[in-house]
Amino acid sequence: MRTPFQAPLADPSLSPSLTAPRYRISPSAAVSPPTLSGIRRDVSGGVRLTLKGAAGSPFTLERSTDLLRWETWIEGTLQETDAAGREFLDDSTSLTTSRFSRARPQ
């Protein structure tokens, strides 16, 4: 963990009778990128994916049938209401024998 940085507001030698106040700057916590946290088969034959991440995080969901060529499926930004995860239905999976999905930060 990094040590917070402290810097005086004024040079104490210029005003010896006063103690210079200090600012404390702490490094912010790293925001984790959006991740796929759940996958399940839907009754319609499609696949439901759950995306989790910090509110305000922009994301791209991509899909592929061969892990070489990826197509953008959905782009968006996670909202405060998505705290428990945001669900997406890929109903085109019933048309292919295999489908791969990934989430990427924008």
Side-chain angles (χ1 to χ4, degrees), residues 6-12 15 18-24:
Q6 293 185 355
L9 287 179
D11 184 351
S15 53
L18 301 174
T19 303
R22 297 181 180 268
Y23 278 118
R24 182 175 208 149

Side-chain angles (χ1 to χ4, degrees), residues 18-52:
L18 301 174
T19 303
R22 297 181 180 268
Y23 278 118
R24 182 175 208 149
I25 303 169
S26 298
S28 62
V31 176
S32 60
T35 57
L36 290 173
S37 65
I39 183 169
R40 64 183 171 89
R41 181 66 70 177
D42 189 68
V43 294
S44 67
V47 173
R48 289 197 178 273
L49 304 167
T50 303
L51 182 70
K52 288 188 175 181

Side-chain angles (χ1 to χ4, degrees), residues 1 6 12 14 16 20 25 28 31 37-41 51 56 61-62 69-71 80 82 84 87 92 95-96 99:
M1 185 172 152
Q6 293 185 355
L14 298 177
I25 303 169
S28 62
V31 176
S37 65
I39 183 169
R40 64 183 171 89
R41 181 66 70 177
L51 182 70
L61 289 180
E62 297 177 330
R69 292 179 300 272
W70 291 89
E71 68 172 334
E80 291 287 337
D82 298 325
E87 214 171 75
S92 68
L95 304 175
T96 62
R99 169 87 71 191

